[in-house]
Amino acid sequence: MTYEAVVRVTLKEGVLDPEAKTIRKSLERLGFEIDDLRTADEYVVEFDAASREAAHDEAEEMCESLLANPTIHDYTVEVR
Amino acid sequence: MRVASRKPDDTRLHGRGAMSVAVLSFGGSNCDRDVVKALGRIEVPAEVVWYKDEEDVSESEAVVLPGGFSYGDYLRAGAMAARTPVMEIVREHVKDGAPVLGICNGAQIICEADIVQGAYAPNESAKFQCEPVNLRVETTDTPFTQEFDEGDVIEVPIAHAEGRYVPDDLEALREDDRVLFRYVNENGEPTDEANPNGSVDNIAGIVGETRNVAVMMPHPERASHESLGSDDGLGILAGFEK
């Protein structure tokens, strides 16, 4: 069966996010009041797998081997 | 696009007593020829080698991974190039004790390949930074700094957007004396102002556990002639002299 995995890669807590800081400043300049802003990269991957669990495992493997860098990133996987 | 490479029988650059250096070119590498030219100034034979010409890389005695934007910096700078088959050959060279140097994008590739520890994140300024910087030589126990004295301050330019070095284990780097260069001011002090990208502990370059592999964001090939403002980079490239 074909599954769709949505992978979200974010900077680990404590790793400075200069892009987020810049975007936040711009939003504030436009008059928005912001408590916090973080950036994330999202990848949507379609592939065949034996089960939802297998699809989840494989998507995690994709994160470990390429999509995220464990030194600076956290990731989440959602299979649908 | 394939970059024209020098044929191995091209003897113009083959000086005596120096090793043959493969300067690896990926799609998007753009400092490959500059590195070959800079190595030529100190009579180190070098040629640009396309990353798919794996045999040429195997036969080389040393490797430089030059700067540029391999794979358009897609995903993360260096991430895709780090996972090409040629990197296994580079890994073997490192194991065999051959000098291997990653400059800028080449440094990002070597980190992404996990040949040395750490990762490069976007500059603290969120801008592309292109400027000369002062580097303090932190260890001379590597092929790339043996020409210097510890504490020497040299000038080499940077040009990058993702150069903020984040180590996995800073203590290990310090304890093993594996920090190669730190960003410093004119007086040789590693201040926040002298840190162009927010690198942890002002780290501008490190060596791997075996000390024959080094990564650095500054470009030694761009400091290879007085007319460029500095020729301090030649002392680093001298690591490829036998």
Side-chain angles (χ1 to χ4, degrees):
Chain A
M1 190 179 162
T2 302
Y3 291 92
E4 187 177 88
V6 180
V7 173
R8 260 171 65 93
V9 178
T10 53
L11 284 169
K12 268 186 183 164
E13 216 182 304
V15 176
L16 195 75
D17 189 346
E19 194 182 348
K21 215 168 131 186
T22 310
I23 296 167
R24 177 181 171 165
K25 264 191 216 156
S26 279
L27 281 174
E28 285 171 341
R29 208 174 294 131
L30 292 170
F32 294 99
E33 281 179 32
I34 312 270
D35 288 330
D36 192 23
L37 188 149
R38 295 178 298 276
T39 60
D41 291 317
E42 188 174 284
Y43 307 94
V44 182
V45 194
E46 277 179 42
F47 56 99
D48 286 334
S51 65
R52 180 176 289 265
E53 288 69 35
H56 194 275
D57 288 351
E58 194 164 335
E60 280 199 342
E61 220 176 299
M62 291 177 199
C63 292
E64 294 288 330
S65 49
L66 177 66
L67 295 177
N69 183 324
T71 304
I72 50 174
H73 291 141
D74 284 328
Y75 61 84
T76 59
V77 173
E78 188 198 330
V79 175
R80 52 192 189 204
Chain B
M1 187 183 75
R2 185 179 164 131
V3 177
S5 50
R6 286 178 202 280
K7 293 197 180 78
D9 62 354
D10 183 343
T11 51
R12 277 177 304 157
L13 284 171
H14 286 240
R16 280 201 198 112
M19 54 185 74
S20 126
V21 181
V23 180
L24 260 190
S25 181
F26 297 90
S29 300
N30 63 11
C31 301
D32 40 4
R33 285 173 295 170
D34 307 46
V35 171
V36 169
K37 192 162 185 178
L39 286 168
R41 292 207 174 103
I42 50 171
E43 296 188 353
V44 173
E47 52 190 280
V48 173
V49 179
W50 184 236
Y51 78 105
K52 284 185 178 167
D53 294 340
E54 291 167 26
E55 206 169 306
D56 291 346
V57 184
S58 291
E59 285 168 8
S60 69
E61 293 174 78
V63 182
V64 175
L65 282 89
F69 301 87
S70 59
Y71 294 85
D73 275 354
Y74 295 161
L75 190 63
R76 295 179 302 278
M80 243 79 81
R83 288 156 179 89
T84 53
V86 72
M87 290 309 293
E88 291 314 307
I89 300 169
V90 173
R91 209 182 294 276
E92 284 304 309
H93 273 312
V94 170
K95 270 188 205 155
D96 293 343
V100 173
L101 176 63
I103 302 165
C104 197
N105 188 228
Q108 293 161 336
I109 295 169
I110 290 177
C111 271
E112 276 285 342
D114 215 16
I115 293 172
V116 302
Q117 65 147 293
Y120 288 99
N123 294 346
E124 192 171 355
S125 65
K127 290 177 187 150
F128 189 94
Q129 309 256 149
C130 187
E131 61 206 44
V133 295
N134 292 309
L135 304 177
R136 189 175 70 194
V137 176
E138 303 291 64
T139 174
T140 56
D141 182 20
T142 80
F144 310 102
T145 49
Q146 57 190 4
E147 294 275 301
F148 302 105
D149 291 321
E150 206 178 300
D152 277 358
V153 176
I154 60 175
E155 190 187 293
V156 183
I158 54 161
H160 60 247
E162 292 175 48
R164 179 162 49 101
Y165 181 70
V166 182
D168 286 309
D169 185 349
L170 180 60
E171 275 317 299
L173 288 180
R174 283 177 175 165
E175 275 172 28
D176 301 344
D177 194 25
R178 285 200 275 133
V179 177
L180 193 59
F181 302 112
R182 281 197 171 86
Y183 299 110
V184 295
N185 63 16
E186 284 164 1
N187 303 321
E189 299 154 342
T191 58
D192 285 347
E193 292 72 32
N195 189 343
N197 50 32
S199 286
V200 171
D201 209 25
N202 283 50
I203 291 173
I206 63 158
V207 287
E209 282 172 24
T210 50
R211 308 194 80 80
N212 57 315
V213 54
V215 296
M216 58 188 294
M217 289 312 291
H219 287 265
E221 79 282 7
R222 295 188 190 180
S224 59
H225 194 282
E226 278 172 27
S227 65
L228 297 171
S230 164
D231 62 2
D232 291 342
L234 293 177
I236 298 166
L237 297 175
F240 295 103
E241 288 174 334
K242 255 180 193 164

